[in-house]
Amino acid sequence: MSISKNVKKYETILKSVETDSEKFAALFMITKLVDSKDCTVAEKKVLFEAIGKKFLAKLLSTEVVPVDCPPQVYKSVALSILSAFCGESELASHPDMITHIPALLEIISQADEDADDNMLIIVSEAYTCLQNIAQYSPGQQVLLEQKAITKMCDIYSEKSFQTDQALNILVTLVQRFGPEAWDATDTAPFHVIINKIALDFETDHTERKFQLCTILQALLMSCRKNIISETAKEESWPSSIHKALSDILGSKIGKNQRDPALKLASVMLDLLGAEWTLLDKEKPKVFLLLLIQLASIEVRMQVEGKQLKTIMANADLVTSCFIIIEISLGYITNDQLDLDQKEKQSLYTVLKGAFAAIIGLLTAVSKMKEITDVKEKIFICAVVRVLAAWLAQETTAMRSQVYAVLPYVLTVANDTFYAHRNRKLSEKAKANAKIKSDEATSSGELVTHDPLSEIDLLRLLLPALCYLAVEEDARKILIKHKQEEVLFECLSYHWTIVHHKKPPIPKSERLKALKEPEKEEDLDLHVSEAIKDSRVAMVSVCNVLMNITVLEAKLVEESPTFISLLKFIFNNLPELKQIPENLVLHGHLAVLGLLLLKQQATRVKKNDFSICRYIQATIRFLWDAYIIDESNDPTELVVAMSYKERWMELMELWFLGMQTMAGVLQVIPWLSQFTLESGWAEEIIEILKKIKIGSLQPNVKFAFEDLLCHLVKADENVASVLKKCGALTVCRNHRMMELGKHLFGD
């Protein structure tokens, strides 16, 4: 690009001057030239580089000025120059501009409202420079390194000059760096700034209130969620924000006021849960119900009958409303809120209206050409997510519409599952590769991934699929969609997480590991949370597959997927770590295996060793559930303590397992020898002998009796074993007529 003669002339002057005084004099002409409309970016760059960073740095730092000159004259000129240039993106991110960040931060940190006008102008120009520099990645990185975030927090907290500019820079930086912008251990700076802004937000009743609303949203979205949610209880900002939002949303307001308030409310709910909405002790329900009403109405207004392109203009707002609805739904449906019938009906009506609009949108989108725009894809994922939350709770409304859109919902959910799984596996493979090559500490190349891989929608859809699998029309759709194949892949993937193995030790640390005594595996929080979540996911998958197994016997008998699934359970259940956290998962895998085994009885081979280990693991689950209450009453049968803590999840499973075990013995009689060899049958008799007459619960009595009857029918050797143990006494004491007939005849 050509450079004008005028600019070249000044470039020559700037480079040829020998003294700082001559260069200083030339700067006044430069400022005028740069401000003219004719000066191009390329020309500005030439002039900026000709001035030189050293000279500007000297002007910014020099305190001694000529007699009769204002004390800040050099700083003033330097800042005039910098602010004239930094309006251009190329110069705002120029290394020679970024190098002045420490000096600029020093100037604004010393700002004082009582300073003279010249100093206030200097501070204002310093802010202008920093705001421009903060727009681009190179400057953002240096600002972070120079602890600009802490400085901006201090400036606002101390109510220095131009605090809103400090807030704007702060918001820009936290939006760029997210949680990394904040200290991982010291939460005090975050709480201090949020407390201050929240108090201003609560007490300010001008238009600035809504600006602060947006700022709070940005700052809270950037926080280290786990740490802040745990430490926020001791702070004042949750209450201040609650009061301010209640005030705003309970008033007659327009869209410009309502939208930022709803967005902030969604961030607060996501951070602190629905309990945060109940802070008003006098009327705890009012705010939560108001939020649900407003969010549902907003969704309907934004979505109903609209084209996707139109909706995308307010995608952030709609997504915020989805978050409010999803979290509130989860809270209300767990009966944690005492609602009267009128409130329930009102909520149901408004939510049904919102979800009718959501289903309508998905129906329309499902008929469109494949979406290619990433933002639109992500938004549709948000739509599917909130619908999944609704379907997990509402099992009767709008069934025909739900069934119509279900294939599309499954497609979206499955796509995100595969993307999420592939990303996680890729990250894991790269991490392991680094460890093996002793490069664990090197930065390495970043794993690039599909934006859709951030969230596994299938994981969130699983609770809804549990219900849908019971409904015949929905189940037909699931099977037509081959969803059982995806669910098996899902189960297999989550197993790799639950069955966590310690990564290989780098070569450089192996000698140290050998010398140190072996310690119990210490999992970091991230891994621990992932295992916990995958455990729950596997349980949900098992529930869906159980429903299909029970209701689609022919499919299960012939399907290669279900045949492989049974082999998977045979091979992996015995490997599941015997820890309390795995008990519910153990039970689900065991009982799903029994249900499959019953359907696939003709395929089971007697010489398959894996079935032996599986049956042993299954018997262990069923056996350990009930014990004699040795501590209180040695004549009473009670649920074992390890099961009692989780009995709500295990009770129906145990009874189903006992019933199915009996059914399996009927179709695979030779399995009875495993049961007999385990000693379980004798143990049942021994326990029942000790139980006082009349104390055995009817359903427990039936479960044991039915199992023993099927054992006797399956293997002629069982009867003699049970008789020797005292089965006659048991039959008499507990009136087990059916067992008596099988053992002793009529």
Side-chain angles (χ1 to χ4, degrees):
M1 188 177 285
S2 62
I3 306 297
S4 69
K5 290 181 180 179
N6 207 19
V7 169
K8 284 183 178 179
K9 182 180 80 172
Y10 283 114
E11 180 191 13
T12 304
I13 292 171
L14 287 167
K15 287 183 176 179
S16 62
V17 292
E18 295 180 358
T19 66
D20 288 347
S21 299
E22 290 174 319
K23 198 170 222 180
F24 185 72
L27 290 182
F28 292 98
M29 296 179 287
I30 298 297
T31 306
K32 190 174 181 180
L33 180 62
V34 171
D35 287 339
S36 74
K37 293 178 182 178
D38 299 329
C39 193
T40 66
V41 176
E43 289 172 337
K44 287 179 182 179
K45 186 180 178 184
V46 166
L47 292 170
F48 181 64
E49 290 176 348
I51 294 168
K53 64 180 180 181
K54 287 184 180 179
F55 180 66
L56 288 172
K58 190 183 288 185
L59 290 180
L60 286 170
S61 61
T62 300
E63 298 293 338
V64 180
V65 298
V67 180
D68 297 331
C69 283
Q72 305 292 342
V73 65
Y74 290 150
K75 277 190 175 71
S76 179
V77 172
L79 284 162
S80 295
I81 294 294
L82 289 173
S83 57
F85 284 110
C86 70
E88 304 291 346
S89 60
E90 192 174 338
L91 295 178
S93 55
H94 195 289
D96 288 1
M97 182 69 74
I98 291 167
T99 195
H100 299 302
I101 285 176
L104 294 170
L105 289 173
E106 182 68 21
I107 290 168
I108 64 168
S109 297
Q110 294 173 349
D112 188 341
E113 287 185 340
D114 297 329
D116 60 42
D117 289 347
N118 289 332
M119 186 60 197
L120 294 181
I121 291 169
I122 288 170
V123 171
S124 183
E125 288 188 324
Y127 270 118
T128 300
C129 293
L130 286 170
Q131 283 177 319
N132 283 310
I133 291 168
Q135 299 303 313
Y136 308 101
S137 184
Q140 290 168 349
Q141 193 61 49
V142 175
L143 283 165
L144 184 70
E145 291 164 4
Q146 292 292 324
K147 302 194 182 305
I149 288 173
T150 304
K151 287 185 172 73
M152 299 304 146
C153 290
D154 292 342
I155 288 167
Y156 189 85
S157 300
E158 293 166 11
K159 275 290 180 187
S160 300
F161 176 61
Q162 291 198 318
T163 52
D164 281 1
Q165 281 89 331
L167 274 187
N168 290 334
I169 294 169
L170 178 60
V171 168
T172 301
L173 293 177
V174 299
Q175 285 177 331
R176 161 71 170 81
F177 293 106
E180 295 302 314
W182 303 101
D183 194 296
T185 53
D186 183 12
T187 59
F190 179 85
H191 287 308
V192 167
I193 186 70
I194 299 295
N195 281 336
K196 189 74 190 77
I197 301 171
L199 183 61
D200 290 350
F201 179 48
E202 180 190 350
T203 54
D204 194 309
H205 297 291
T206 67
E207 278 299 309
R208 185 169 179 269
K209 190 181 194 79
F210 304 102
Q211 295 168 7
L212 293 175
C213 190
T214 303
I215 287 167
L216 280 168
Q217 180 203 350
L219 295 178
L220 290 167
M221 282 181 73
S222 76
C223 76
R224 293 181 180 268
K225 188 176 174 182
N226 290 338
I227 306 171
I228 297 303
S229 60
E230 289 173 8
T231 54
K233 292 174 185 175
E234 309 300 320
E235 305 298 331
S236 62
W237 58 264
S239 176
S240 292
I241 294 173
H242 183 282
K243 288 174 185 173
L245 286 177
S246 297
D247 180 36
I248 293 171
L249 294 171
S251 305
K252 193 173 182 180
I253 50 173
K255 178 178 170 59
N256 291 341
Q257 290 85 33
R258 184 174 58 252
D259 290 2
L262 284 172
K263 289 178 183 178
L264 177 56
S266 78
V267 174
M268 290 296 289
L269 276 166
D270 190 41
L271 185 60
L272 302 179
E275 291 85 355
W276 164 77
T277 64
L278 313 175
L279 289 178
D280 185 346
K281 292 179 181 177
E282 291 182 10
K283 298 177 181 178
K285 294 186 289 184
V286 171
F287 187 48
L288 178 58
L289 296 178
L290 175 65
L291 281 177
I292 298 170
Q293 288 276 352
L294 291 174
S296 300
I297 291 167
E298 193 66 46
V299 166
R300 196 167 177 180
M301 285 170 55
Q302 296 290 341
V303 170
E304 196 169 55
K306 302 271 182 73
Q307 295 289 324
L308 180 59
K309 297 285 183 191
T310 307
I311 297 168
M312 288 305 296
N314 286 308
D316 287 350
L317 173 63
V318 179
T319 305
S320 294
C321 292
F322 288 166
I323 292 169
I324 292 171
I325 291 170
E326 181 184 342
I327 294 171
S328 302
L329 263 177
Y331 187 77
I332 289 170
T333 50
N334 287 332
D335 293 325
Q336 295 186 58
L337 200 63
D338 184 23
L339 299 174
D340 60 38
Q341 195 55 42
K342 187 179 178 182
E343 288 168 334
K344 287 179 182 177
Q345 187 57 47
S346 175
L347 273 183
Y348 180 77
T349 302
V350 76
L351 284 167
K352 188 178 176 184
F355 281 100
I358 285 168
I359 291 171
L361 170 64
L362 287 175
T363 303
V365 170
S366 68
K367 295 171 183 174
M368 291 167 51
K369 291 180 181 177
E370 186 180 355
I371 296 172
T372 54
D373 183 83
V374 173
K375 288 184 178 178
E376 289 181 1
K377 282 184 175 182
I378 292 170
F379 178 72
I380 291 301
C381 286
V383 177
V384 171
R385 174 174 181 150
V386 76
L387 180 61
W390 167 257
L391 293 176
Q393 312 298 341
E394 177 48 59
T395 57
T396 57
M398 301 180 285
R399 296 334 271 171
S400 59
Q401 296 96 315
V402 169
Y403 298 153
V405 83
L406 184 55
Y408 181 70
V409 169
L410 291 171
T411 299
V412 174
N414 293 345
D415 286 348
T416 63
F417 161 67
Y418 288 124
H420 183 77
R421 182 191 65 175
N422 293 344
R423 175 168 74 91
K424 290 291 185 182
L425 293 176
S426 174
E427 288 172 354
K428 188 176 180 181
K430 291 203 173 191
N432 287 341
K434 285 179 188 177
I435 290 170
K436 285 178 182 176
S437 59
D438 279 350
E439 293 175 359
T441 55
S442 69
S443 58
E445 59 181 289
L446 291 172
V447 178
T448 56
H449 57 265
D450 182 345
L452 298 188
S453 67
E454 292 294 339
I455 186 75
D456 177 4
L457 286 176
L458 180 59
R459 165 73 187 85
L460 300 172
L461 189 63
L462 290 174
L465 292 181
C466 291
Y467 293 109
L468 290 166
V470 178
E471 301 169 29
E472 188 173 351
D473 290 340
R475 192 170 62 256
K476 284 178 181 175
I477 294 167
L478 294 180
I479 292 167
K480 186 178 179 182
H481 209 78
K482 298 188 184 300
Q483 192 62 30
E484 72 278 7
E485 295 179 11
V486 185
L487 289 171
F488 181 31
E489 288 188 68
C490 180
L491 191 75
S492 303
Y493 165 65
H494 284 291
W495 170 254
T496 64
I497 298 169
V498 170
H499 195 55
H500 175 81
K501 291 183 178 178
K502 208 170 184 179
I505 301 167
K507 289 179 183 177
S508 59
E509 296 177 23
R510 283 175 193 167
L511 186 62
K512 182 183 174 185
L514 285 171
K515 289 179 181 178
E516 289 181 355
E518 193 170 303
K519 295 178 182 177
E520 189 176 330
E521 190 171 26
D522 183 24
L523 301 176
D524 64 43
L525 182 64
H526 177 72
V527 174
S528 179
E529 287 298 317
I531 291 173
K532 185 178 177 181
D533 184 68
S534 286
R535 204 180 276 128
V536 175
M538 287 187 75
V539 167
S540 294
V541 173
C542 285
N543 283 327
V544 182
L545 293 171
M546 278 184 204
N547 288 335
I548 295 174
T549 302
V550 170
L551 297 167
E552 297 290 340
K554 189 170 177 58
L555 169 73
V556 172
E557 188 180 336
E558 299 171 355
S559 162
T561 300
F562 283 98
I563 293 166
S564 298
L565 175 60
L566 183 57
K567 287 179 182 175
F568 171 86
I569 294 172
F570 279 178
N571 293 330
N572 291 310
L573 178 60
E575 301 298 323
L576 185 64
K577 292 174 188 172
Q578 297 300 302
I579 55 174
E581 293 82 0
N582 281 340
L583 182 59
V584 174
L585 175 58
H586 185 136
H588 278 80
L589 287 171
V591 175
L592 175 58
L594 287 174
L595 291 167
L596 291 167
L597 193 55
K598 188 179 175 184
Q599 303 288 13
Q600 297 175 20
T602 55
R603 297 180 178 275
V604 177
K605 295 176 182 176
K606 203 168 185 178
N607 60 356
D608 185 352
F609 179 67
S610 65
I611 192 174
C612 171
R613 296 181 68 226
Y614 159 73
I615 287 293
Q616 287 171 345
T618 300
I619 287 173
R620 177 52 53 198
F621 168 72
L622 297 171
W623 187 341
D624 290 347
Y626 279 94
I627 58 168
I628 295 286
D629 187 5
E630 298 289 358
S631 58
N632 294 318
D633 185 352
T635 65
E636 187 178 359
L637 189 70
V638 294
V639 175
M641 189 57 70
S642 57
Y643 283 65
K644 197 170 186 177
E645 295 169 7
R646 302 167 177 84
W647 194 236
M648 288 299 290
E649 296 174 87
L650 291 171
M651 182 172 65
E652 287 186 14
L653 196 66
W654 185 82
F655 284 108
L656 177 61
M658 292 291 284
Q659 179 190 342
T660 312
M661 185 73 175
V664 167
L665 290 170
Q666 192 173 343
V667 291
I668 314 176
W670 53 266
L671 283 179
S672 60
Q673 66 190 65
F674 290 124
T675 312
L676 204 59
E677 288 169 8
S678 71
W680 185 29
E682 296 101 308
E683 179 70 14
I684 292 172
I685 297 297
E686 291 296 335
I687 286 175
L688 294 179
K689 276 197 302 185
K690 297 176 184 178
I691 305 304
K692 63 186 173 188
I693 298 169
S695 68
L696 198 58
Q697 294 172 14
N699 55 352
V700 178
K701 170 192 154 182
F702 177 79
F704 282 126
E705 184 178 15
D706 187 47
L707 178 72
L708 292 172
C709 286
H710 279 86
L711 265 174
V712 172
K713 284 193 284 184
D715 190 337
E716 57 187 20
N717 297 319
V718 173
S720 60
V721 173
L722 297 185
K723 286 176 184 177
K724 285 178 185 176
C725 294
L728 180 60
T729 304
V730 169
C731 290
R732 284 174 176 168
N733 287 352
H734 302 295
R735 302 183 66 79
M736 291 186 173
M737 305 300 186
E738 196 64 31
L739 180 59
K741 287 177 186 177
H742 282 88
L743 289 174
F744 306 104
D746 296 331

